Amino acid sequence: MNTAKEGVISEIERYAIKDGPGIRTVVFLKGCPLTCRWCANPETQKSIYQLMYWPNRCIGCRQCISECSTSALSFGKDGVKINRSGCVSCGACTQACNSQALTMAGQCKTVDNIMTIIVKDLPYYQTSGGGVTFSGGEAASQGDFLCELAKECKKHRISTCIETCGYAKWETYQKLLPFIDYFFYDLKILDEKEHIKYTGVSNRLILDNFSRLITAKANVTVRIPVIPGINNTQKNMDETIRFLLKTAPGCSVSLLPYHQLGTSKYDKLDMEYTLADLVPPSEQEMLRLKEQFENSGFPVRIGE
Ligand code: SF4
Ligand code: SF4
C-alpha cells in the first residue's frame, strides 16, 4: 500500500550520526528506480515486501515449513529454501520462527505510526541540531507519503533531510522543497551509457533535477559514492567537476568510499552480488579525490 497516508518502509533507525547534522532518526522507505550494482541496501530496492533468510540463526525446527499455505518453503542441506515465485509475503513463517531466521523486509506504516517514533527523540534533535532523514531505497519514489511525513515533521519544528538518487519526477521535488531542509543528492556517473550500465537507468533526469534544485536555492550537498574501477576514473571525476562548476560552483561535496557492509544481505534475498571481488578505495585514493575537488573550489568531506 502506498498512499499519502500510508507507505512501505524497511526500517527506522534511531540515533544515527552519519545521515545529516546532529543525531537523527532515519526512515528507510522501500522502492528504488535504480539498481546500483554496489547497493548496500538491496532489501530496499523493491517496493514489495521481501522475505529474508538468515541461515546462521536457523535451528532446523521446520516450524516455518508447515505454516506456509502456498508451500513456498522447503528444507534441504543448506537449511530453508524459499520458492520466491510461490511466496505471497504473508509473513506467517516469520511469526512461526522463534529464532528470527526468517524476517520480512517491508512494513506498511501510516504517517502517524512513524511520527510516534520520530517525536520520541525530540530532545536529542534539539540538543544536537539533528532531526529526521528520509532514505531508502529512493524516498522520493513514495512522493505523496514522503511529503506528508515531511510536513508533519515541520509541524513539530523538526529538521528534515532527504538522501536521494535524484530519479523522481521534478513535481515531486517541487512539492517537497518547502518541507525539506537538506538534500543529499547522489551523482554517480556522468557518462550516460556508463550510468545505465551500472545503475540500470539514464542519468538525464537526475542531472536535470539537480540543476533545478540548485536554481530553486535548495540546500544541496552532492554525494559521490567512490566505486573503484567504475566511477573513480579521471574521466568521470573531471566530467563531474565540470558539471558542478557549471551548475553549482562551490557546493558541498561528500565522497563516500565503497564498502561491503551490505553484501551479506544479497544471499538472504536470493539476489546476486556482482561486485564480490571489489576492494574498497584506499585512504590515499580518497584524499587524492578530495584534493581534486578542493582544487576546483568545492568544500569536501569524506565518509558522511
Ligand atoms: S522456523 Fe525458523 S529456525 Fe525453524 S526451520 Fe524455519 S527458519 Fe529455521
Ligand atoms: S511469507 Fe507466507 S507465503 Fe511466503 S514463505 Fe512465508 S509463509 Fe509462505
Side-chain angles (χ1 to χ4, degrees):
M1 179 70 72
N2 178 13
T3 64
K5 293 285 172 208
E6 213 168 44
V8 181
I9 66 161
S10 64
E11 66 168 312
I12 296 176
E13 183 186 335
R14 293 167 71 189
Y15 316 119
I17 52 167
K18 289 205 164 186
D19 296 271
I23 298 171
R24 308 193 77 82
T25 297
V26 185
V27 182
F28 291 87
L29 289 97
K30 245 170 103 62
C32 183
L34 275 64
T35 48
C36 302
R37 295 211 196 159
W38 52 86
C39 179
N41 295 320
E43 77 283 12
T44 64
Q45 285 184 0
K46 291 188 178 165
S47 54
I48 54 168
Y49 295 4
Q50 287 169 284
L51 196 56
M52 295 177 82
Y53 176 56
W54 308 71
N56 57 334
R57 299 179 188 166
C58 179
I59 56 169
C61 68
R62 306 185 191 204
Q63 288 288 335
C64 54
I65 311 286
S66 52
E67 281 302 314
C68 180
S69 59
T70 64
S71 306
L73 299 178
S74 55
F75 199 89
K77 66 177 173 39
D78 297 322
V80 173
K81 179 98 190 99
I82 304 164
N83 172 3
R84 298 267 168 195
S85 59
C87 173
V88 293
S89 301
C90 70
C93 56
T94 64
Q95 301 293 324
C97 178
N98 291 323
S99 310
Q100 294 187 316
L102 285 165
T103 58
M104 192 61 78
Q107 316 158 42
C108 196
K109 295 278 183 197
T110 63
V111 171
D112 288 347
N113 294 154
I114 296 176
M115 287 309 298
T116 304
I117 296 169
I118 286 174
V119 296
K120 282 182 185 168
D121 294 328
L122 267 171
Y124 292 102
Y125 311 147
Q126 281 156 1
T127 51
S128 70
V132 173
T133 297
F134 302 110
S135 189
E138 173 48 61
S141 65
Q142 298 185 54
D144 292 341
F145 178 61
L146 175 61
C147 202
E148 289 305 311
L149 267 176
K151 266 188 211 168
E152 280 303 311
C153 287
K154 284 291 135 205
K155 280 186 196 163
H156 290 83
R157 298 171 187 252
I158 297 171
S159 145
T160 54
C161 174
I162 180 172
E163 295 173 331
T164 181
C165 71
Y167 198 96
K169 285 183 190 156
W170 168 245
E171 290 72 27
T172 300
Y173 290 108
Q174 214 172 13
K175 262 176 65 181
L176 288 170
L177 263 168
F179 310 109
I180 297 287
D181 298 309
Y182 305 96
F183 288 80
F184 287 96
Y185 200 102
D186 279 9
L187 287 185
K188 294 169 171 120
I189 304 172
L190 263 281
D191 181 272
E192 188 184 8
K193 279 191 187 150
E194 289 283 294
H195 198 277
I196 293 170
K197 178 176 171 187
Y198 289 109
T199 72
V201 301
S202 161
N203 57 6
R204 288 192 187 184
L205 179 64
I206 295 167
L207 300 180
D208 193 41
N209 282 335
F210 178 79
S211 303
R212 288 179 179 223
L213 279 176
I214 297 295
T215 305
K217 304 216 177 313
N219 186 346
V220 180
T221 294
V222 174
R223 277 189 164 175
I224 304 173
V226 177
I227 318 296
I230 293 179
N231 73 345
N232 67 336
T233 59
Q234 195 64 48
K235 175 178 174 288
N236 185 55
M237 291 301 164
D238 287 348
E239 285 175 356
T240 304
I241 288 172
R242 270 203 299 279
F243 172 75
L244 289 176
L245 284 172
K246 201 168 67 181
T247 52
C251 72
S252 301
V253 173
S254 283
L255 298 173
L256 306 178
Y258 164 77
H259 61 74
Q260 296 171 320
L261 296 178
T263 55
S264 64
K265 294 189 226 170
Y266 281 74
D267 280 348
K268 295 173 176 64
L269 291 155
D270 294 319
M271 288 170 70
E272 187 189 4
Y273 188 68
T274 58
L275 302 180
D277 298 328
L278 203 62
V279 177
S282 65
E283 197 183 336
Q284 292 94 311
E285 168 67 353
M286 295 304 295
L287 291 172
R288 182 187 73 77
L289 294 171
K290 180 175 188 272
E291 195 180 347
Q292 194 181 346
F293 279 84
E294 283 175 342
N295 288 343
S296 297
F298 299 101
V300 181
R301 300 170 81 127
I302 294 177
E304 50 186 294

